[in-house]
Amino acid sequence: MAMSGLTDLMTMAKPNEALKARIIALLARGPDMCLQCGRCTSGCTAFRLLELKPHEIVCSAKMGFVEELVSSKSIWDCALCLKCAERCPQEVSPYELILSLRNEAISKGLEIPEALRDILMTLMETGLAFKPKKAVDREGKAYGREELGLPALRTGLSEQALMALMELLGGA
Amino acid sequence: MPGLAVFWGCRVLSGDVALELSVRKVLETLGVDITDLEPQSCCGEPIRSLNLTASCYLALRILALSASKGYNEVLMPCSKGYFMANWSLDMLSRSGELSEAISKAFSSEGLSLDRLSRPIDLVELVYRAVGPEGLRNKVEKPLGLRVALHPGCYFMRSKPGTGEGLRKLAELRELLSAVGVEAPYYPGMMDCCGGSLWLTRQDAALTLAGSKLKAASESGLDCLVVLCPSCFEMLDARQEDALSAVGEKKGVPVLYLPQLLGLALGIDPAELGLRFNRSPVEELSVVR
């Protein structure tokens, strides 16, 4: 949809169609079919708590005002509960769009949550997002898998999978 | 049902054994064979915000690995893993670019997008393997409970926009009814526990978990029942913090679905890993 003549009169920003195309390229359910009915926002978990408005995010993305979204703090408020994607009558998934915007923000170095940094380190090290550890019961006693009658399980990613993963992460 | 692989996921392997113990025990009692998929690796869920392609790659790799070992289906008792598998399949079917990137990433291991195991969750498995009638016939101890069921986002919305969630919920309720458990609607039933918000907004995540616990308390129902280890972490392991986030004191017993099923099947509570629940499960007479 060519909207290059648009100007946001609040900020004088112009749409960035190239960035928009990149952000939505992978999405199964991109923003272009949005009718602005607002069903996503009316059911949104983070709207009630943090005033996240998914229909506004979808609207801005559809019009190509994507840089503003990438650098906004609000994309990090999404609870990823999928109610928006469930409710949308147009098969748009604000959930997917928000994730893609987060991907862009991280690859630009604008933001990376501390917890996510830790998970990435653990993933590279162990092939799992959280390190395997003993189970601790309510009295504080720790049990290994064997003590609980559970089989030892091999975990981790193969060398080739780790390489492929790093390539995908590096290419973003 | 031979030839069923099981993918447990990181949360279970990092110490949340209540789910693993109870799933294994319940399936053994029902005569359903499962084989651990090895090696177990990340399903990609925690890195969605970082890189969509990489997270879908990790999810689809589990399905491809499982298929390469000859399994048609893979059980994913963790709702997040189950969702990641379904969502990645949806993304794959709609995006040529994704399919190309992942085929390339698969090539060094000889895996293929043409051969993927089908992900199934615990409710579908039990429903298909024994069904509500089969389950009813195996009940040793009808529970007579009225529970606040928390289906969770990733069980209810594993295929958003398709109506699949309501169908799954109906099956789950039939199974619960077979073991003498009623799961009526209560305000907030479909709400999120805050699990995925924990990564970026911890205070808000605890408020969501606290609101859920409060809703369960106010419903007057006997306990909360969850399916997903991420929900369990928020509502059971972090219950004290979640309650104080909303100014509540009264604890709420939280059980995993397979723990509840196991109790009805007459399995010893110790074998269902109930000592690993932090919430006041001892308040329930069926646990004692």
Side-chain angles (χ1 to χ4, degrees), chain B residues 154-175:
Chain B
Y154 295 116
F155 173 80
M156 277 309 290
R157 297 182 273 281
S158 60
K159 295 174 186 166
T162 61
E164 173 86 355
L166 289 173
R167 194 187 59 73
K168 293 177 81 67
L169 181 62
E171 287 187 355
L172 170 54
R173 276 191 160 130
E174 279 183 64
L175 294 178

Side-chain angles (χ1 to χ4, degrees), chain A residues 25-29 45 48-50 73-74 76-83 85-86 91 95-96 99-100 102-103 106 112-113 115-116 119-120 123 127-138 141 143 145 148 150-158 160-161 164-165 167-169 172, chain B residues 8 10-11 13-15 17 20-21 24 36 38-42 46-54 57-58 61 83 87 90-91 94-95 97-98 101 104-105 108-109 153-154 156-157 159-162 190-192 196-197 199-201 204 207-208 274-282:
Chain A
L26 279 183
L27 305 187
R29 296 156 192 261
T45 299
R48 277 188 291 165
L49 208 60
L50 301 163
K73 295 282 175 200
S74 69
W76 300 94
D77 291 340
C78 172
L80 308 179
C81 74
L82 292 152
K83 283 189 180 178
E86 180 78 294
E91 292 203 349
Y95 155 85
E96 284 178 7
L99 285 178
S100 190
R102 287 182 179 185
N103 287 186
I106 290 178
I112 177 161
L116 189 53
I119 283 172
L120 187 62
L123 177 59
L128 295 168
F130 309 108
K131 280 189 181 131
K133 53 180 185 242
K134 287 190 167 189
V136 179
D137 74 5
R138 51 202 305 177
K141 187 169 179 247
Y143 299 79
R145 293 181 62 83
L148 294 166
L150 295 171
L153 284 182
R154 280 190 299 124
T155 62
L157 287 168
S158 67
Q160 298 97 308
L165 178 65
E167 205 175 310
L168 291 174
L169 289 173
Chain B
W8 296 104
C10 301
R11 283 190 167 76
L13 296 171
S14 68
V17 288
E20 184 179 352
L21 286 166
R24 285 188 192 272
D36 299 305
E38 287 189 286
Q40 300 257 326
S41 57
C42 174
I47 62 160
R48 285 174 292 176
S49 296
L50 181 68
N51 187 302
L52 284 174
T53 310
Y57 162 66
L58 289 174
R61 185 177 172 275
F83 165 75
W87 176 51
D90 183 40
M91 292 278 280
R94 292 169 185 244
S95 162
E97 198 169 313
L98 186 70
K104 187 163 162 264
S108 61
E109 291 190 282
C153 301
Y154 295 116
M156 277 309 290
R157 297 182 273 281
K159 295 174 186 166
T162 61
M190 299 302 175
D191 286 355
C192 169
S196 295
L197 195 53
L199 206 61
T200 51
R201 301 277 185 261
T207 304
L208 286 173
L274 277 150
R275 75 168 77 102
F276 297 101
N277 299 45
R278 294 287 188 280
S279 60
V281 287
E282 67 285 350

Side-chain angles (χ1 to χ4, degrees), chain B residues 11-285:
Chain B
R11 283 190 167 76
V12 167
L13 296 171
S14 68
D16 181 5
V17 288
L19 181 63
E20 184 179 352
L21 286 166
S22 55
V23 167
R24 285 188 192 272
K25 211 65 206 172
V26 164
L27 292 182
E28 184 190 312
T29 308
L30 296 177
V32 180
D33 288 332
I34 49 173
T35 311
D36 299 305
L37 181 67
E38 287 189 286
Q40 300 257 326
S41 57
C42 174
C43 74
E45 183 275 330
I47 62 160
R48 285 174 292 176
S49 296
L50 181 68
N51 187 302
L52 284 174
T53 310
S55 65
C56 288
Y57 162 66
L58 289 174
L60 292 165
R61 185 177 172 275
I62 292 163
L63 304 182
L65 191 69
S66 164
S68 77
K69 293 174 191 282
Y71 302 107
N72 292 326
E73 292 180 321
V74 55
L75 170 66
M76 297 183 141
C78 169
S79 302
K80 280 191 161 170
Y82 176 71
F83 165 75
M84 278 307 294
N86 281 294
W87 176 51
S88 301
L89 288 170
D90 183 40
M91 292 278 280
L92 196 62
S93 70
R94 292 169 185 244
S95 162
E97 198 169 313
L98 186 70
S99 147
E100 204 175 300
I102 291 178
S103 289
K104 187 163 162 264
F106 273 2
S107 61
S108 61
E109 291 190 282
L111 299 172
S112 161
L113 280 174
D114 299 328
R115 280 186 63 226
L116 300 175
S117 295
R118 196 178 80 87
I120 66 170
D121 71 305
L122 186 67
V123 173
E124 181 183 342
L125 177 63
V126 173
Y127 198 91
R128 197 178 60 192
V130 295
E133 272 318 301
L135 192 59
R136 199 186 314 269
N137 293 335
K138 298 215 179 213
V139 169
E140 299 269 328
K141 199 160 96 177
L143 298 175
L145 289 174
R146 296 184 80 233
V147 305
L149 177 63
H150 170 62
C153 301
Y154 295 116
F155 173 80
M156 277 309 290
R157 297 182 273 281
S158 60
K159 295 174 186 166
T162 61
E164 173 86 355
L166 289 173
R167 194 187 59 73
K168 293 177 81 67
L169 181 62
E171 287 187 355
L172 170 54
R173 276 191 160 130
E174 279 183 64
L175 294 178
L176 288 172
S177 158
V179 300
V181 172
E182 213 187 312
Y185 178 80
Y186 62 97
M189 177 175 177
M190 299 302 175
D191 286 355
C192 169
C193 72
S196 295
L197 195 53
W198 181 257
L199 206 61
T200 51
R201 301 277 185 261
Q202 296 198 348
D203 288 353
L206 285 176
T207 304
L208 286 173
S211 308
K212 188 88 206 186
L213 291 163
K214 195 170 171 215
S217 264
E218 287 170 355
S219 70
L221 298 166
D222 298 314
C223 61
L224 254 173
V225 174
V226 304
L227 285 76
C228 170
S230 175
C231 304
F232 188 75
E233 187 175 36
M234 292 304 293
L235 299 169
D236 183 275
R238 299 197 175 112
Q239 184 168 124
E240 229 179 279
D241 292 342
L243 286 171
S244 69
V246 295
E248 283 288 310
K249 289 208 174 66
K250 197 183 169 307
V252 181
V254 180
L255 292 179
Y256 268 124
L257 170 72
Q259 290 183 315
L260 192 69
L261 297 179
L263 290 169
L265 294 169
I267 300 168
D268 183 343
E271 292 193 277
L272 295 168
L274 277 150
R275 75 168 77 102
F276 297 101
N277 299 45
R278 294 287 188 280
S279 60
V281 287
E282 67 285 350
E283 284 178 12
L284 296 168
S285 60

Side-chain angles (χ1 to χ4, degrees), chain A residues 63-126:
Chain A
M63 293 197 296
F65 295 113
V66 187
E67 280 154 81
E68 296 77 355
L69 294 173
V70 169
S71 55
S72 79
K73 295 282 175 200
S74 69
I75 56 172
W76 300 94
D77 291 340
C78 172
L80 308 179
C81 74
L82 292 152
K83 283 189 180 178
C84 54
E86 180 78 294
R87 297 164 72 100
C88 179
Q90 289 292 95
E91 292 203 349
V92 173
S93 176
Y95 155 85
E96 284 178 7
L97 174 62
I98 288 171
L99 285 178
S100 190
L101 292 165
R102 287 182 179 185
N103 287 186
E104 180 70 16
I106 290 178
S107 75
K108 280 222 172 92
L110 294 175
E111 174 116 25
I112 177 161
E114 198 62 37
L116 189 53
R117 204 187 297 264
D118 293 345
I119 283 172
L120 187 62
M121 298 255 291
T122 309
L123 177 59
M124 289 303 171
E125 212 177 294
T126 65

